[in-house]
Amino acid sequence: MIHIIMFGPPGAGKGTQAKLLKDKFNFAYIATGDMFRNHIQNETELGKLAKSYIDKGDLVPDEVTIRMLKNEMNINPDVDGIIFDGFPRTIAQAEALEEFLAESKRGIDAVFALEVPDEVLIQRILNRGKTSGRSDDTDKNTVIKRLKKYKEVTEPLKKYYQEKQILHRINGLQSIEEVHREIAGILNELTP
Ligand code: AMP
């Protein structure tokens, strides 16, 4: 059972890559953004709370996000690993995940950091917004705020994982297939 993180700013291609890896390696896929959007669609209390942050381009508070993630991880599907997409986004979330995995003597095996320049990210997100139905993808100011938040609170995690020697930096300007091949190559070395 291995645990990997798709890391990077909004629009870097984390979801696209995670979905390709999920099928190829028989992994479970946990995307906190998707989970929040499901709650919003189902109009749950958590959904209402999350929406108030998401629409402004802010992060949902750690405590709420961590609790939701732990609940999801208690569902144990028969898989060979788990891919996290969009989690962790803060040091506190990374520490909580580590503690949680340590309870079952597990840890994070690899973090794939997709690197893409800001101008390209903004363009990609606004394009996605034309079809995604995501309100946080359509307004340029919200998109810029999300990128700013990423730089302030999420990007420091790169150093955190680099120090643990599990960070793999990937050029996210390559084609979808090239990025996939690069990540799959590294995972092939990690999986038995
Ligand atoms: P995403 O689909 O990953 O781009 O996430 C969409 C939005 O959901 C983010 O802009 C945040 O407001 C919220 N969100 C998703 N994951 C997290 C997380 N790990 N921590 C806090 N907020 C999150």
Side-chain angles (χ1 to χ4, degrees):
M1 184 80 172
I2 76 164
H3 295 86
I4 66 170
I5 295 172
M6 298 308 299
F7 187 83
K14 302 184 295 293
T16 304
Q17 293 299 329
K19 283 171 200 137
L20 294 172
L21 296 169
K22 164 186 182 296
D23 294 334
K24 188 176 168 75
F25 291 92
N26 185 34
F27 289 158
Y29 170 52
I30 297 184
T32 41
D34 286 351
M35 292 172 71
F36 285 131
R37 282 186 289 277
N38 279 337
H39 276 280
I40 293 172
Q41 210 169 7
N42 295 326
E43 297 180 357
T44 67
E45 281 306 310
L46 173 58
K48 277 179 220 158
L49 178 79
K51 188 171 166 46
S52 65
Y53 293 95
I54 293 174
D55 282 353
K56 285 191 287 207
D58 281 327
L59 293 184
V60 179
D62 282 338
E63 190 202 295
V64 176
T65 308
I66 291 166
R67 196 178 329 122
M68 179 179 75
L69 180 99
K70 284 186 179 172
N71 285 339
E72 180 76 13
M73 286 183 65
N74 281 327
I75 306 166
N76 282 315
D78 185 19
V79 289
D80 297 323
I82 300 180
I83 310 182
F84 298 98
D85 165 8
F87 187 97
R89 264 176 157 97
T90 63
I91 299 275
Q93 291 180 13
E95 287 172 349
L97 178 61
E98 217 165 272
E99 279 169 30
F100 190 64
L101 292 175
E103 286 171 17
S104 43
K105 307 229 175 325
R106 305 285 182 189
I108 297 295
D109 299 278
V111 178
F112 297 101
L114 299 175
E115 299 182 329
V116 177
D118 281 2
E119 343 44 284
V120 179
L121 292 170
I122 294 171
Q123 217 37 60
R124 281 190 189 175
I125 297 169
L126 292 174
N127 272 337
R128 179 172 72 186
K130 290 178 192 159
T131 52
S132 69
R134 284 179 56 173
S135 51
D136 61 340
D137 279 351
T138 42
D139 176 62
K140 192 167 178 185
N141 287 331
T142 310
V143 172
I144 289 170
K145 180 146 173 217
R146 286 165 64 200
L147 290 176
K148 190 163 168 274
K149 278 273 155 196
Y150 169 79
K151 286 208 167 56
E152 279 169 15
V153 299
T154 306
E155 201 167 41
L157 279 173
K158 251 174 155 170
K159 187 159 168 270
Y160 177 89
Y161 287 120
Q162 193 158 27
E163 282 166 3
K164 295 184 187 292
Q165 301 185 334
I166 52 172
L167 185 82
H168 302 269
R169 296 174 59 185
I170 312 280
N171 173 5
L173 283 176
Q174 301 176 94
S175 71
I176 292 174
E177 293 74 21
E178 283 167 334
V179 172
H180 174 67
R181 225 175 295 131
E182 190 172 339
I183 297 176
I186 298 168
L187 278 177
N188 276 327
E189 309 262 297
L190 287 178
T191 46

